[in-house]
Amino acid sequence: MSRILVTGSNDGIGAEIARVLTAQGHDVIRHARSAERADGSQYVVGELSSLGSTREMAADVLRLGAPEVVVHNAGWGSKDESRPVTEDGFEKTFQINALAPLLLTALLPKPRRIVFVSSDSIVRGRIRLDDLQHEQEWSQDAAYADSKLAMTALAFALARRWPEVFSNAVHPGWVSTKMSGYAAPLTVAQGADTPAWLAVSDEPAALVTGAFFQDRKAIEVNPQAYDPWLQDALLARCLELCSAELD
C-alpha cells in the first residue's frame, strides 16, 4: 500500500479520490484550504494562492511522512470580471493551477507517481512565455484554459526530467461539483475514477509517463503540451517564479 497526498480533497472530485484510495487500503493525506474545511487528523492545510502557505503545507506533509504518490487535484477558476492577483503578485488562476503544484512537487521528495488533474479546456489554451500572468489581456476562460495547459506541459516536463517517475495529466470530465456547476452530467465517482486509477494501478495502461488521460485512455490534446523545448522553458520559468529547484 502507498502513502498518497491528494490536494483539494475536502470535497468534490478530490474527496472522492481520497475516499476510493482509502477504501483500497492506502494511507491518504488529505488537503484543505483552511482548518475550518479540514475534517480529521490526516489533513494538511494550505492556501495554494500563497507561496508561503504552500511551503508550510509541504512541511506539514513531511511531518506526516513523505508521499509515494501525489495527486494534484486542487484547482480554481475565477468568477470575477477583473484579473485576480495574489499576495505574491501572480495571476491567481495560474498560481493555484500551475505554479503551486510545481512548487509543492519541488518541496517534497521525488514520488513514484504524480497525477495532475487537468481539463479538456486545454484544447483552446495557449502557453505564452512572455505573458504567463495574462497582464496583456485577461478573461476567466482564457486564464483557466491556459493555466491547465501549463499544468499539463509541466507534468510532461517532469516525465522527461524524471524518467523513473510516472508523471501524467488527466481530464476527469465535466463533473457535477461546486466548482464546475451542478448541471454537469458526470458524478464525482465518475470524475475520480481515472485519477485514482492512475495513482495506484498496476495495469500496463497506467504504467506510462508523459500522457494525457480521459476515461482511462491516453489521448492527444493541444500540441503545445508535447513540445520539449516549450516544456523545458516553461519549467525553468516557473521554478524561477516560485524560487524553487528540482533534483
Side-chain angles (χ1 to χ4, degrees):
M1 296 296 103
S2 300
R3 180 177 292 115
I4 305 170
L5 169 66
V6 183
T7 67
S9 47
N10 64 294
D11 62 12
I13 297 173
E16 181 64 11
I17 294 171
R19 187 197 67 77
V20 168
L21 294 173
T22 299
Q24 292 174 358
H26 299 286
D27 179 17
V28 177
I29 302 172
R30 297 178 182 237
H31 157 250
R33 287 176 51 198
S34 65
E36 292 73 25
R37 292 170 179 257
D39 182 20
S41 59
Q42 194 76 343
Y43 259 92
V44 291
V45 173
E47 175 52 73
L48 298 180
S49 64
S50 163
L51 295 181
S53 183
T54 302
R55 290 181 181 278
E56 291 172 1
M57 171 186 162
D60 289 340
V61 170
L62 291 176
R63 279 189 276 272
L64 292 173
E68 299 159 272
V69 179
V70 177
V71 180
H72 291 295
N73 166 77
W76 187 80
S78 177
K79 292 179 171 58
D80 297 332
E81 295 302 320
S82 58
R83 176 177 174 269
V85 178
T86 69
E87 64 184 37
D88 301 299
F90 299 121
E91 195 279 324
K92 187 175 180 179
T93 323
F94 174 76
Q95 180 163 350
I96 292 176
N97 293 348
L99 205 58
L102 177 63
L103 175 59
L104 188 57
T105 299
L107 293 171
L108 298 175
K110 192 184 302 180
R112 290 188 291 104
R113 302 191 194 199
I114 314 173
V115 180
F116 291 83
V117 179
S118 184
S119 165
D120 66 348
S121 68
I122 69 174
V123 299
R124 60 183 180 273
R126 181 183 171 201
I127 296 173
R128 293 174 291 179
L129 293 174
D130 62 343
D131 191 26
L132 291 173
Q133 305 300 315
H134 280 267
E135 294 175 295
Q136 299 173 19
E137 185 178 4
W138 183 89
S139 71
Q140 298 170 2
D141 183 71
Y144 183 80
D146 292 359
S147 70
K148 288 294 188 176
L149 178 57
M151 166 196 264
T152 303
L154 290 170
F156 296 170
L158 291 172
R160 291 175 48 247
R161 186 178 182 118
W162 293 338
E164 71 277 23
V165 175
F166 296 133
S167 178
N168 296 293
V170 56
H171 169 51
W174 186 21
V175 178
S176 177
T177 63
K178 180 173 58 180
M179 178 176 173
S180 298
Y182 295 107
L186 300 182
T187 65
V188 289
Q190 290 171 304
D193 179 71
T194 301
W197 172 76
L198 274 176
V200 296
S201 176
D202 289 328
E203 293 179 25
L207 301 178
V208 300
T209 193
F212 186 92
F213 282 84
Q214 181 177 357
D215 296 329
R216 298 195 181 191
K217 295 179 181 178
I219 61 173
E220 293 204 6
V221 285
N222 191 315
Q224 274 198 309
Y226 301 91
D227 181 335
W229 179 88
L230 188 58
Q231 292 169 11
D232 290 344
L234 176 66
L235 178 62
R237 179 59 179 145
C238 288
L239 288 171
E240 179 184 14
L241 289 173
C242 62
S243 301
E245 296 181 355
L246 289 175
D247 292 341

